[in-house]
Amino acid sequence: MNESKLTMLITQESISTRVDELAATISSNYEDAGDIVIIGVLKGAFIFLADLSRRLSVPHRVEFIAVTSYGRQGASGGAVRLLMDVREDVKGKHVLIVEDIVDTGRTLDYLVDLLNTRQPASLKTCALVRKASRMEVDVQLDYLGFDIPDAWVVGYGLDYAEKHRTLPYIGVLEGDASGDASGDASG
Ligand code: IMP
Ligand code: MG
């Protein structure tokens, strides 16, 4: 894939404003919930989670979970497999899953099913971006930052073959992102 063309999609300022809004909404919705468990989905959500969690005004603990979807790198939507589980037993807890991006929806759907089997007091989901036109699974999404077009995006945690995660903004990587590299996409 030709990685030379990277175009701005969501500026650092827009992300920051939206994360502020999401944090305010989430904080007010969990005002009386007590300790909540925020589960970041590795790797892509680590930057979003870091910013979101620091803006929450309600008490919470942070956990991580890692999954991988089989398929070509730069593609998603294959079978999902658990790579690393949370440490905390979430039974009876208020749980919020924090994802970087919802593409086909399979990853989030898998996580919702998995965590629901553990009988949390409540289970909600939050994603920074969603490619609405790509969704194949009607997954529960309670908090969303932005709807974006069907394009491969990088930055603010999102990668292509482990590159560009630390860009402060979200950009579109031009080219056929599902066409070349093989391997599996680990978040
Ligand atoms: P889904 O299971 O198809 O919804 O895909 C979810 C996962 O695919 C995300 O958590 C990302 O790791 C990866 N992914 C999907 N689209 C993109 C993208 O445009 N940029 C970077 N990663 C992506
Ligand atoms: Mg991810």
Side-chain angles (χ1 to χ4, degrees):
M1 165 179 172
N2 174 14
E3 293 188 40
S4 58
K5 196 142 183 282
L6 184 59
T7 52
M8 171 74 72
L9 183 65
I10 311 173
T11 64
Q12 189 172 358
E13 292 70 26
S14 307
I15 295 171
S16 178
T17 302
R18 193 70 189 113
V19 174
D20 273 342
E21 290 168 359
L22 286 170
T25 306
I26 292 167
S27 296
S28 90
N29 290 350
Y30 285 97
E31 211 160 357
D32 304 312
D35 217 7
I36 60 180
V37 183
I38 314 280
I39 302 179
V41 185
L42 295 175
K43 301 178 191 172
F46 80 113
I47 290 178
F48 176 39
L49 180 89
D51 284 345
L52 183 72
S53 68
R54 286 179 295 172
R55 287 161 156 99
L56 293 176
S57 58
V58 287
H60 61 280
R61 30 182 100 193
V62 172
E63 285 283 328
F64 290 100
I65 200 163
V67 290
T68 184
S69 43
Y70 287 109
R72 285 167 304 182
Q73 202 153 29
S76 67
V80 182
R81 184 168 62 98
L82 187 66
L83 289 180
M84 189 196 88
D85 208 339
V86 293
R87 297 189 183 190
E88 188 78 16
D89 182 8
V90 300
K91 187 171 181 173
K93 306 267 173 62
H94 293 286
V95 174
L96 176 66
I97 303 172
V98 175
E99 251 287 35
D100 49 358
I101 185 165
V102 177
D103 184 8
T104 64
R106 292 189 191 283
T107 303
L108 196 55
D109 190 54
Y110 168 88
L111 290 170
V112 166
D113 283 352
L114 176 76
L115 292 164
N116 264 330
T117 64
R118 300 177 182 174
Q119 300 168 296
S122 69
L123 180 62
K124 303 282 181 192
T125 61
C126 174
L128 182 66
V129 292
R130 170 177 67 179
K131 298 181 199 169
S133 68
R134 292 256 315 157
M135 284 189 65
E136 293 170 8
V137 183
D138 187 21
V139 68
Q140 167 202 343
L141 191 52
D142 300 289
Y143 304 99
L144 173 67
F146 303 92
D147 263 320
I148 60 166
D150 177 13
W152 195 263
V153 288
V154 295
Y156 200 68
L158 291 154
D159 75 310
Y160 176 73
E162 296 302 324
K163 286 187 215 146
H164 311 295
R165 283 199 202 276
T166 54
L167 280 175
Y169 60 89
I170 292 179
V172 171
L173 207 51
E174 305 281 340
D176 177 13
S178 60
D180 53 1
S182 59
D184 60 12
S186 52

